[in-house]
Amino acid sequence: MTSVCMYFQVHQPFRLRRFWPDGRSGFYRYFDERSNREIFEKVARKCYIPTNRALLESIDEHAGKFRFSLSVTGTLLEQCELWGKEVLEGFRQMAETGAVEFLDETFYHSLSSLFENKTEFIEEIQEHRKLVSDLLGVKPQVFRNTELLYNNTIAKTVSDLGYRAILTEGADHILNGRSPNSLYRAKGSGLPILFRNYKLSDDIGYRFSAKWWEGYPLTAEKWAQWASGVRADCINIFMDYETFGEHQWEETGIFAFLQKLPEEVLKRNLNFSTPLEIVEKYSPVAEIDVGDLSTISWADSERDTSAWLGNDMQRRCFEEMKLLEPFVKKTGDPEILHIWKHLLTSDHYYYMCTKWLGDGDVHSYFSVYSTPFDAAVNFMAVVMDFKALVFRKLRAIA
Amino acid sequence: MGVNLPYSPKWYWPAEGFSGVPEIDRYFDRKNIFSKFKYTGGQILRLNDLLLESVEKGGIYSFDLSGPFLEQCRWDPELLESFCELGETGSIEFTGSCSNHSFSSLYPDLSWFQEEVLVYRETLRELLGVTPNTFVNTQLLYTGRVVHMLAEMGFRCLIAEGSRNLISGNEPVHVFENHLPTLLRHINLSEDLELRFSEKNWKDYPLTSEKFANWISSMEGDVLTLYFNYTGLCVHYEKTRTIADFIRTLPCALKSQGIKMLTPSETVTKFAPLKLPTLSTEQTIMYGMHNAVGNHAQQLYLRELVRIGEELSELKGSENYWKLKQLFGYLQQGEIFFSMNPGSIRNGYEKAVNYFSILSDFRRAVLEERS
């Protein structure tokens, strides 16, 4: 029997404000309290609250047979604590059902896994582990990295921390003709890898309401029919949680789809399994080799790091942040550390992406800036100011 | 005529920074600046020879040599000598400006501006043996804030942009009353010489000195102030040799129409100044000022310079103060501002990200310096 392994990514960044060096201090000197709150509240209303409810009902209805996993970023959990206790409560209830497996990732949805030195990456994973343990009472055993960024070294780092599997993108150029619907193992560490089936995932995540698509309109029955055609161990369906009600509005019928899906899947000789259950049920079929310079991700058609580090503005900003690390740590100042870590959030770099054709649409959809150039200037203005804060602090404590 | 060869910042990477007291090469590509100077310097030398011919025929001109350009002239004694020679004719006036070609007249603390004006005056004395009487601010920017200060420093004339909001419907063809008698640039006729001269599709191409003198004689008013980039003439010279004839024959052509050529400081003693109420406002005015400090990136850069200036001032007497101060001078050049707004946001903002990165490393060095 083939397993359907669903995982949803739940994330909101702390976006920067349009920076001007005024008299404000602390975290909100750089980050926009009001707009982040407004966006969070809007998404909570349109997506998090109704989706949590729908999924909890489905779990109830199918008595443990409908199972899936969630990865919730630390930045989103922070926002839930500030502005959305009801959302947090939904996640807690899911944890209690035993049907939902929570995954670990970096607290800040950050790009720290791309630093040569993995200390910060490890620290952020531990921060995340502590937060989900405190807030949701769970101890994840499977890891998913920011935007499914993956290479051998990331797998090794994660494996050394004791995780039992890692999720990543079923990138064609890595699978090289092999199927994403089996378990693989990482070169070097031997860590089991679950590859995203991007075709069946994107049918829901991206194409669900696309009128140009021959699959339109997509029904749960149709989708389950396609899935049941796959003769393999597992079908890994990974997507943004915001697909439900936010990327795909309620009017598209996405909630009706979600509500019908478990039943349609279960009646077709398919079962639902979470990532940990997949690892326990199946054995890796082959080794996967992804060198550090060939890092993959689930973003854009390139499936690489170019969505965040594709142009000079992005690389410059990222390099500034990376080189600042030892100085930030030397200050030992919790507020400075907190700000710096939030500046590693991948979204800031995504806003600066200039790949206009095709993927550019997706980028501008997710961005609060009118152009990627505005985003880059704003970020670097923050860097300029923040860097001075760090070096002033170091001078003061010297 | 303005001559400026800026020190343009290089494509800097943060890995070059984060430690030590920066050398100029960390942020600027001196090789590139030098080779540009070599090239343009050669052109200027040729043009100076032409100008000398023109002077011998009765031509009178004035030069606004930017601080960065003057400093580069130290690399080429021949070029410096050629300007000295022009100066010795007595028909050339050299005007004063900000030594860093900066917008320090916009800083809250005007002592930065004052210092630059003094430094420039000293450099001009040292290199060309002259003392300026006329002041031309960077990019002809006019701000009422500094006029009184300039008068107190001994200047006798000010040249500023004849921007539409300043002349408010009048023609900029008089000496205007101010703490410092003020001449305003005639934009159209200046740009005819600087930009359009060698444009073959321009309706007035080819422009001869006779035609130009005719236009001027048909105008009313006391004085016409023409200001343009000298290097613009070099560009024309590359394309068409008619600019050489134009320069040689201009004095005679003007003379035959009864038009006198004057230096700015002579001009203000010859004509009674007219009132222009807009000059007494505290506003900062320049045609195209938005190109310099109009966008968010430029505003941020300006603001950061001001903050760094304050921090640098606290370091007087420290070991590397003068080294940092010199580098800070280069980082304030007006050209840096202009290049953040070249018409396309892509071009300007990619540069701005680079400049911010440079400025942030410079500020780090200032903060790490012990006072």
Side-chain angles (χ1 to χ4, degrees):
Chain A
M1 192 188 271
T2 302
S3 302
V4 174
C5 175
M6 301 194 98
Y7 134 73
F8 306 117
Q9 175 60 32
V10 199
H11 170 59
Q12 290 297 324
F14 272 97
R15 297 160 197 85
L16 295 168
R17 69 183 180 96
R18 189 172 167 82
F19 182 72
W20 184 253
D22 54 20
R24 285 178 234 206
S25 63
F27 189 73
Y28 291 115
R29 176 173 178 82
Y30 305 111
F31 297 92
D32 193 327
E33 184 170 23
R34 207 180 88 188
S35 92
N36 282 309
R37 183 190 179 123
E38 281 170 5
I39 293 172
F40 174 84
E41 284 172 347
K42 186 192 81 178
V43 180
R45 197 170 58 243
K46 287 172 69 179
C47 164
Y48 300 146
I49 293 169
T51 311
N52 283 355
R53 195 181 308 127
L55 288 172
L56 280 164
E57 280 168 13
S58 286
I59 290 168
D60 238 24
E61 193 180 323
H62 297 283
K65 287 206 172 114
F66 176 52
R67 319 173 65 71
F68 59 91
S69 69
L70 278 184
S71 191
V72 191
T73 65
T75 54
L76 183 91
L77 288 169
E78 279 183 322
Q79 295 189 12
C80 287
E81 283 192 280
L82 285 169
W83 310 311
K85 292 277 195 277
E86 186 183 353
V87 178
L88 196 57
E89 190 47 40
F91 294 143
R92 240 180 236 137
Q93 285 172 20
M94 285 188 195
E96 276 166 18
T97 63
V100 181
E101 180 186 340
F102 284 85
L103 310 182
D104 257 341
E105 58 176 292
T106 64
F107 187 110
Y108 307 92
H109 197 258
S110 89
L111 295 179
S112 59
S113 61
L114 301 177
F115 289 179
E116 291 80 8
N117 181 330
K118 302 290 186 239
T119 315
E120 173 62 20
F121 179 50
I122 292 168
E123 225 173 81
E124 290 180 11
I125 296 170
Q126 286 162 343
E127 286 178 61
H128 187 262
R129 186 149 65 187
K130 174 153 193 325
L131 186 73
V132 293
S133 165
D134 289 353
L135 292 181
L136 307 175
V138 294
K139 299 225 178 306
Q141 297 191 55
V142 172
F143 187 80
R144 85 108 220 179
N145 196 15
T146 307
E147 307 284 3
L148 301 189
L149 284 162
Y150 177 89
N151 61 39
N152 294 342
T153 313
I154 291 171
K156 174 79 169 68
T157 310
V158 166
S159 172
D160 288 348
L161 288 172
Y163 290 99
R164 295 177 58 193
I166 188 166
L167 273 47
T168 191
E169 173 68 12
D172 291 332
H173 68 281
I174 295 300
L175 286 168
N176 214 356
R178 290 170 293 192
S179 156
N181 306 322
S182 296
L183 202 57
Y184 291 82
R185 67 176 176 275
K187 184 175 177 166
S189 60
L191 186 70
I193 309 169
L194 280 80
F195 280 110
R196 184 171 92 109
N197 181 317
Y198 67 77
K199 161 77 179 59
L200 283 168
S201 300
D202 290 346
D203 284 343
I204 305 172
Y206 287 115
R207 287 179 286 272
F208 183 78
S209 61
K211 297 214 167 84
W212 49 263
W213 176 41
E214 77 264 13
Y216 182 86
L218 184 64
T219 60
E221 188 186 0
K222 200 192 281 185
W223 190 89
Q225 194 61 42
W226 293 342
S228 67
V230 176
R231 300 272 173 261
D233 292 341
C234 54
I235 310 169
N236 301 318
I237 304 301
F238 306 163
M239 69 185 80
D240 286 350
Y241 201 51
E242 293 81 11
T243 299
F244 307 103
E246 170 62 17
H247 307 340
Q248 308 291 346
W249 293 357
E250 188 183 353
E251 298 77 55
T252 63
I254 192 74
F255 285 111
F257 174 89
L258 185 61
Q259 194 254 323
K260 291 273 283 180
L261 189 67
E263 182 192 329
E264 293 294 335
V265 166
L266 290 169
K267 73 182 185 200
R268 282 183 170 78
N269 201 32
L270 295 164
N271 69 54
F272 286 104
S273 299
T274 66
L276 193 58
E277 289 163 348
I278 297 285
V279 178
E280 282 166 351
K281 259 191 239 179
Y282 306 104
S283 301
V285 295
E287 185 175 85
I288 294 292
D289 181 12
V290 181
D292 286 7
L293 298 176
S294 318
T295 305
I296 57 169
S297 78
W298 72 357
D300 300 347
S301 45
E302 290 88 350
R303 304 287 203 263
D304 58 13
T305 59
S306 60
W308 310 279
L309 301 176
N311 66 39
D312 271 5
M313 299 184 294
Q314 294 171 309
R315 285 190 283 267
R316 210 182 285 286
C317 291
F318 181 68
E319 203 177 279
E320 286 283 1
M321 281 297 106
K322 188 172 74 177
L323 292 165
L324 207 47
E325 177 180 354
F327 301 98
V328 164
K329 299 214 159 146
K330 213 167 138 193
T331 67
D333 182 318
E335 190 169 76
I336 286 178
L337 274 159
H338 190 62
I339 293 166
W340 178 72
K341 284 165 186 275
H342 277 92
L343 290 174
L344 293 175
T345 298
S346 67
D347 303 65
H348 304 305
Y349 304 85
Y350 193 79
Y351 303 145
M352 305 173 201
C353 181
T354 45
K355 296 189 287 178
W356 282 112
L357 299 167
D359 298 328
D361 301 340
V362 182
H363 285 260
S364 56
Y365 165 77
F366 282 107
S367 181
V368 292
Y369 297 96
S370 49
T371 73
F373 308 104
D374 277 301
V377 157
N378 200 49
F379 188 89
M380 197 52 105
V382 165
V383 170
M384 190 157 69
D385 189 85
F386 176 67
K387 209 163 146 182
L389 178 74
V390 171
F391 285 97
R392 266 204 312 271
K393 179 77 188 179
L394 287 174
R395 188 172 65 175
I397 61 176
Chain B
M1 295 177 288
V3 189
N4 180 31
L5 282 179
Y7 292 84
S8 307
K10 71 174 192 190
W11 212 231
Y12 158 89
W13 287 98
E16 302 170 62
F18 277 93
S19 71
V21 180
E23 298 293 332
I24 174 170
D25 300 290
R26 188 182 284 186
Y27 311 135
F28 298 89
D29 182 351
R30 268 200 293 192
K31 252 195 191 146
N32 184 266
I33 292 164
F34 185 70
S35 71
K36 260 198 218 153
F37 170 77
K38 277 310 250 186
Y39 179 75
T40 316
Q43 291 182 322
I44 292 174
L45 209 52
R46 278 207 305 271
L47 210 56
N48 280 0
D49 285 343
L50 264 174
L51 201 71
L52 202 57
E53 284 182 46
S54 183
V55 165
E56 280 158 6
K57 296 197 172 94
I60 291 178
Y61 302 93
S62 61
F63 269 116
D64 167 25
L65 307 178
S66 82
F69 173 71
L70 264 184
E71 206 180 306
Q72 291 174 47
C73 281
R74 291 177 194 268
W75 293 331
D76 185 357
E78 197 188 346
L79 185 59
L80 215 45
E81 185 48 42
S82 143
F83 278 110
C84 282
E85 212 180 313
L86 280 167
E88 282 157 13
T89 63
S91 300
I92 303 282
E93 179 178 351
F94 292 95
T95 59
S97 69
C98 293
S99 58
N100 298 315
H101 211 245
S102 77
F103 292 124
S104 56
S105 57
L106 302 178
Y107 300 175
D109 176 1
L110 283 177
S111 67
W112 287 96
F113 173 77
Q114 189 173 28
E115 188 182 333
E116 279 196 64
V117 177
L118 290 174
V119 167
Y120 183 84
R121 186 146 75 180
E122 210 34 63
T123 311
L124 207 56
R125 263 191 210 131
E126 184 206 339
L127 296 180
L128 301 180
V130 295
T131 306
N133 290 317
T134 300
F135 186 81
V136 183
N137 203 357
T138 306
Q139 298 293 336
L140 280 82
L141 183 138
Y142 179 81
T143 168
R145 300 174 70 213
V146 296
V147 183
H148 189 67
M149 176 189 279
L150 288 167
E152 289 204 326
M153 291 171 86
F155 286 99
R156 297 206 289 269
C157 170
L158 178 72
I159 300 178
E161 179 69 323
S163 95
R164 221 168 301 145
N165 45 1
L166 202 55
I167 58 177
S168 53
N170 301 309
E171 284 291 311
V173 288
H174 300 280
V175 176
F176 295 104
E177 194 179 286
N178 204 346
H179 290 300
L180 212 50
T182 300
L183 295 171
L184 298 175
R185 176 174 98 119
H186 194 285
I187 295 172
N188 279 342
L189 285 176
S190 299
E191 287 189 344
D192 283 346
L193 296 187
E194 180 178 316
L195 305 175
R196 291 179 279 272
F197 188 87
S198 57
E199 250 175 48
K200 296 216 163 70
N201 345 328
W202 181 37
K203 66 178 171 43
D204 291 307
Y205 181 88
L207 181 62
T208 61
S209 53
E210 290 78 24
K211 198 192 283 183
F212 196 65
N214 263 326
W215 290 349
I216 297 173
S217 75
S218 68
M219 293 170 72
E220 293 187 2
D222 298 330
V223 57
L224 176 72
T225 307
L226 297 169
Y227 179 105
F228 48 87
N229 279 328
Y230 197 49
T231 43
L233 300 188
C234 296
V235 175
H236 301 318
Y237 191 77
E238 293 297 303
K239 289 200 216 158
T240 160
R241 300 291 142 147
T242 55
I243 190 74
D245 292 331
F246 185 91
I247 295 171
R248 278 193 206 104
T249 57
L250 186 65
C252 297
L254 290 172
K255 200 171 169 192
S256 66
Q257 294 282 355
I259 302 161
K260 245 184 136 174
M261 293 178 90
L262 293 171
T263 62
S265 49
E266 279 172 341
T267 307
V268 295
T269 60
K270 286 229 155 65
F271 302 100
L274 232 71
K275 278 202 189 329
L276 186 62
T278 42
L279 282 180
S280 56
T281 63
E282 285 287 296
Q283 283 176 334
T284 297
I285 294 169
M286 187 203 158
Y287 161 76
M289 197 60 211
H290 63 276
N291 286 335
V293 289
N295 70 31
H296 193 54
Q298 292 163 324
Q299 287 289 326
L300 283 160
Y301 193 86
L302 179 66
R303 166 77 203 199
E304 195 69 2
L305 285 180
V306 169
R307 294 206 294 175
I308 296 174
E310 288 162 7
E311 285 161 355
L312 194 58
S313 298
E314 291 164 18
L315 291 180
K316 278 179 189 148
S318 81
E319 190 190 342
N320 298 298
Y321 174 72
W322 287 106
K323 198 171 166 184
L324 289 167
K325 180 97 187 279
Q326 186 195 20
L327 205 44
F328 186 52
Y330 298 138
L331 292 171
Q332 295 174 73
Q333 293 174 97
E335 278 304 314
I336 296 180
F337 284 88
F338 275 98
S339 63
M340 284 187 261
N341 192 356
S344 106
I345 182 174
R346 168 170 212 140
N347 241 321
Y349 273 32
E350 276 182 346
K351 289 201 181 96
V353 171
N354 182 35
Y355 299 158
F356 287 9
S357 198
I358 288 174
L359 214 49
S360 78
D361 185 59
F362 180 75
R363 191 167 178 200
R364 171 209 54 79
V366 168
L367 290 168
E368 283 187 336
E369 179 74 9
R370 299 272 149 229
S371 58

